[in-house]
Amino acid sequence: MSTQFPPNMSEKTITNKTVPKKETKLITIDGPAGAGKSSVAKQLAAQIGFYYLDTGALYRTVALLGLKNQVDWNDPAALVSLTQKNLIDYRAGRVYLNQEDVSEQIRSSEITFLTQYSSKNPAIRLLMNDLQRKIATTDHFVTEGRDQGSVVFPDAFRKFYLTASPEERARRRFKEQQQRGENVDYQQILIDINERDYRDSHRDVAPLIQPKGAIIIDSDGKSLDEVVELMKRHIEMPD
């Protein structure tokens, strides 16, 4: 596997031996599902001049790879072997599989379902962790997920744990789905979120935890802009 440098930098593809072009900084945002990590990470990265690293897209790409090759989903080793034989690149917010931009393909509902087979596979997580670390050597990044500050980047420049009450997260998701014209039930969304929280915090592989040294941001009652501004103030504080 490999990734490439973002635009305006060296075109050389990263290999197992990478020499960083400059000293880089990394900001991690961890937290439960529905806390707004992706939206916050994207806006924060844009405002402070960092790249945004969509770690979930990497696992989705592995799932797409498995689907394209009709892998046996009940054979974790087969998915690992397949992943090792193919090239996954991440450049300027776009993800590529063997030089093909698959950024849209990985957003289908089928891939959303199949991603469980890549994200829960310990060997795949090790491969993706390594890929993320290689990406992070190329420039300044804001990255988000559930194990970024605890497992992948424990020495990040700034680590945040973004959270919100289950009720607040359910309200946000309910509103988003209503705006898309979907027929949704708030109580069912709340149940789903509570069940997801339990699964994420009790899973054997990379469970959701608050990273050591992370700054806790509770987004209840706060707008996206307010959360981003609060993080920026913490980033600007001297070490």
Side-chain angles (χ1 to χ4, degrees), residues 64-82:
L64 177 65
L65 176 64
L67 179 64
K68 285 177 175 288
N69 287 272
Q70 299 181 321
V71 74
D72 180 356
W73 297 110
N74 294 315
D75 185 358
L79 185 60
V80 174
S81 177
L82 183 63

Side-chain angles (χ1 to χ4, degrees), residues 19-217:
V19 179
K21 192 174 181 67
K22 63 179 180 180
E23 182 179 355
T24 60
K25 288 183 178 179
L26 192 78
I27 296 169
T28 62
I29 304 176
D30 290 292
K37 299 185 299 295
S38 295
S39 297
V40 169
K42 290 175 184 177
Q43 184 162 313
L44 178 64
Q47 291 191 15
I48 65 177
F50 282 31
Y51 283 98
Y52 165 61
L53 175 54
D54 183 355
T55 61
L58 303 179
Y59 290 98
R60 286 174 172 269
T61 302
V62 173
L64 177 65
L65 176 64
L67 179 64
K68 285 177 175 288
N69 287 272
Q70 299 181 321
V71 74
D72 180 356
W73 297 110
N74 294 315
D75 185 358
L79 185 60
V80 174
S81 177
L82 183 63
T83 302
Q84 291 173 321
K85 295 174 182 176
N86 288 268
L87 179 69
I88 297 175
D89 293 340
Y90 188 90
R91 304 192 297 271
R94 310 289 294 182
V95 63
Y96 297 81
L97 177 58
N98 297 322
Q99 307 302 328
E100 177 189 1
D101 187 343
V102 295
S103 303
E104 275 72 46
Q105 292 184 49
I106 62 173
R107 300 302 172 183
S108 72
S109 57
E110 184 175 19
I111 294 301
T112 297
F113 173 77
L114 293 174
T115 298
Q116 64 179 304
Y117 295 102
S118 57
S119 64
K120 293 180 180 179
N121 186 317
I124 293 293
R125 293 201 74 90
L126 289 176
L127 291 173
M128 293 300 101
N129 289 352
D130 184 56
L131 177 56
Q132 290 167 46
R133 292 176 184 127
K134 288 177 181 178
I135 294 170
T137 66
T138 65
D139 213 301
H140 305 314
F141 280 92
V142 175
T143 178
E144 56 86 14
R146 292 176 183 80
D147 62 353
Q148 295 298 287
S150 58
V151 175
V152 188
F153 303 109
D155 298 319
F157 170 65
R158 287 287 186 273
K159 295 188 287 187
F160 293 100
Y161 187 80
L162 179 63
T163 188
S165 68
E167 292 77 14
E168 176 72 14
R169 288 181 279 142
R171 281 192 292 271
R172 293 173 184 170
R173 184 159 295 176
F174 177 77
K175 183 177 179 180
E176 290 170 359
Q177 293 178 335
Q178 269 196 327
Q179 290 175 341
R180 293 198 296 264
E182 299 178 21
N183 185 20
V184 291
D185 178 74
Y186 169 81
Q187 289 300 328
Q188 185 58 52
I189 292 175
L190 180 58
I191 290 171
D192 292 344
I193 283 178
N194 282 320
E195 290 179 348
R196 175 70 179 274
D197 285 352
Y198 182 85
R199 290 197 305 270
D200 285 348
S201 59
H202 288 79
R203 65 189 184 189
D204 294 330
V205 181
L208 172 65
I209 62 172
Q210 179 185 320
K212 183 179 180 180
I215 300 164
I216 302 174
I217 304 291

